Amino acid sequence: MQGYIMSILQSTKKAVERVTGIARRGRQEATDLVRRRKANEFWFKDDGLVPNHPFWPLVVYRGAVRLPEEFDPAAVLEELFEANGWGASWRNGIYDYVHYHSRIHEVLGVAAGTAKVRFGGKKGRTLSLKAGDVAVLPAGTGHQCLSASDDFLVVGAYPPFGTYDECTTAQEHDRALATIQKVGRPRKDPVYGSKGPLLQNWRKT
């Protein structure tokens, strides 16, 4: 219930910001807040429940975005992702159960707070995330929030192709194996654009 309420509040706040421009930076200003960071790569095996991606890694950029106090940090991340072609954004936390998306990639930018998030399923890896960190998940990547600070807030977004779905059961596994590989490589890195490390980490097959 708490997560649902936060989602409603953040959606309302987002709508007000878009109409009034309050606390929002323009796209160029958002891009100027980006810091060049190493792409940390994590590969995960199929565990029978979560297929993960067969050849593309989870990519995590630590402290990739400066989030000035005078602006809404969620708005900064939204503008940055949109500038690089990743839209349909939302604001919320991360679900506390294991799930993945089999038909679309996802970017998660931490706008506030801290959390421990397990990627790759129960046999995956737990990472500590904090404000300014960005994780880019190829289709099939399991994720689950294990614990979080009260102010933990994430902005999620998606490339312009693909269809959102949410998979949680073993019965979905075999179908997901086929659909995951059909999701094409995005044209731009959600943080660094057309010259971003993601395009090298996710090589065409």
Side-chain angles (χ1 to χ4, degrees):
M1 178 61 72
Q2 184 179 4
Y4 174 76
I5 293 173
M6 183 173 75
S7 179
I8 295 297
L9 291 174
Q10 287 296 327
S11 294
T12 302
K13 184 177 181 181
K14 180 177 176 179
V16 171
E17 288 170 355
R18 288 197 177 280
V19 171
T20 65
I22 295 174
R24 295 194 70 91
R25 283 187 177 269
R27 291 190 178 182
Q28 183 58 52
E29 291 177 301
T31 301
D32 291 342
L33 294 173
V34 170
R35 293 183 275 201
R36 181 60 60 173
R37 289 291 187 261
K38 175 185 175 182
N40 298 283
E41 303 175 354
F42 302 90
W43 281 267
F44 305 111
K45 295 181 179 180
D46 186 333
D47 67 5
L49 172 64
V50 178
N52 293 302
H53 201 282
F55 37 79
W56 289 344
L58 163 74
V59 172
V60 177
Y61 299 121
R62 298 287 190 182
V65 186
R66 291 190 296 112
L67 301 172
E69 293 183 2
E70 64 269 26
F71 288 90
D72 180 353
V76 170
L77 292 169
E78 288 164 355
E79 292 292 349
L80 175 63
F81 296 157
E82 288 177 11
N84 290 315
W86 292 61
S89 63
W90 50 264
R91 303 178 183 185
N92 205 338
I94 296 174
Y95 294 141
D96 60 2
Y97 53 86
V98 180
H99 64 288
Y100 63 92
H101 313 297
S102 73
R103 298 176 181 271
I104 200 164
H105 309 308
E106 183 175 46
V107 60
L108 303 173
V110 182
T114 61
K116 291 187 181 298
V117 180
R118 184 163 58 195
F119 294 97
K122 292 184 178 181
K123 295 182 180 180
R125 182 162 177 176
T126 299
L127 301 179
S128 296
L129 300 180
K130 63 181 180 180
D133 291 347
V134 177
V136 193
L137 290 65
T141 304
H143 45 300
Q144 173 188 17
C145 184
L146 301 181
S147 64
S149 60
D150 290 340
D151 61 340
F152 182 59
L153 178 63
V154 167
V155 171
Y158 308 92
F161 55 84
T163 301
Y164 180 88
D165 66 345
E166 184 181 311
C167 303
T168 60
T169 68
Q171 289 71 30
E172 297 166 295
H173 177 272
D174 290 348
R175 176 193 58 78
L177 288 176
T179 58
I180 287 168
Q181 296 190 48
K182 294 179 181 180
V183 184
R185 189 179 74 155
R187 294 181 179 178
K188 292 185 178 181
D189 185 308
V191 179
Y192 300 107
S194 58
K195 297 182 179 180
L198 186 75
L199 304 184
Q200 294 299 316
N201 298 113
W202 293 7
R203 300 179 189 278
K204 293 184 177 180
T205 58

